[in-house]
Amino acid sequence: MKSASISMTPIERTRRFWTAHGRSAAHLTVLHAFCKNPTIEWTPAGLSLWYGLRLDVAQDVVGEFVRCGIVQRVPDREEGYRWNGDQDWAVPRSRETRAILQERWRAGES
C-alpha cells in the first residue's frame, strides 16, 4: 500500500500546528509560554501563577502536550516540563507566523 504525503509550505504547516493545538485560550497560553521560553522549566503550578490559568486546566493542557510530544518532562523532575526542540519549526518568528498566532488568539476570544 502506497502512502501519500502532503506537501505544505512552512506557513501552512505552522498554521495547521497552531490551529490543531491552540484550540482554546488556555491551550494558546500554554503553547506560547513553552515556545517563547524554551529553556524555562515550567510546572502546571507555575503556569497557573504566571498566566492566571486554573491549576486543573494547566495540568490538563500540559498533560495533553506531553502526550503529543510538544513538551517533554525534564529528567529527574516530577513536575518540570520544557518545550520539545523538535517542534521549533512551529515557533512564530517571522511576521507571517506571528500573524498566525495573533489570528488564533482572536479566534479563541470569540
Side-chain angles (χ1 to χ4, degrees):
M1 173 190 249
K2 279 188 165 181
S3 64
S5 64
I6 299 172
S7 178
M8 288 185 269
T9 67
I11 297 293
E12 182 58 27
R13 189 174 180 205
T14 300
R15 181 179 310 284
R16 285 178 180 237
F17 176 91
W18 284 89
T19 300
H21 300 293
R23 294 184 310 278
S24 70
H27 284 83
L28 288 167
T29 299
V30 173
L31 275 174
H32 186 265
F34 278 104
C35 82
K36 295 306 263 184
N37 305 287
T39 62
I40 300 287
E41 180 182 323
W42 288 103
T43 64
L47 290 164
S48 177
L49 289 170
W50 192 259
Y51 289 99
L53 299 171
R54 286 186 16 206
L55 181 57
D56 62 325
V57 171
Q59 290 170 326
D60 290 346
V61 172
V62 169
E64 179 182 326
F65 290 161
V66 169
R67 290 186 299 278
C68 292
I70 294 169
V71 300
Q72 299 173 322
R73 290 185 190 276
V74 174
D76 302 324
R77 299 289 220 172
E78 188 173 320
E79 285 285 317
Y81 303 91
R82 283 199 188 112
W83 177 255
N84 179 350
D86 292 345
Q87 305 299 326
D88 280 351
W89 57 268
V91 176
R93 291 188 176 96
S94 68
R95 180 187 310 226
E96 293 85 4
T97 54
R98 283 191 300 271
I100 291 167
L101 178 56
Q102 292 302 319
E103 175 185 293
R104 292 305 307 143
W105 278 106
R106 284 191 297 275
E109 291 174 349
S110 55

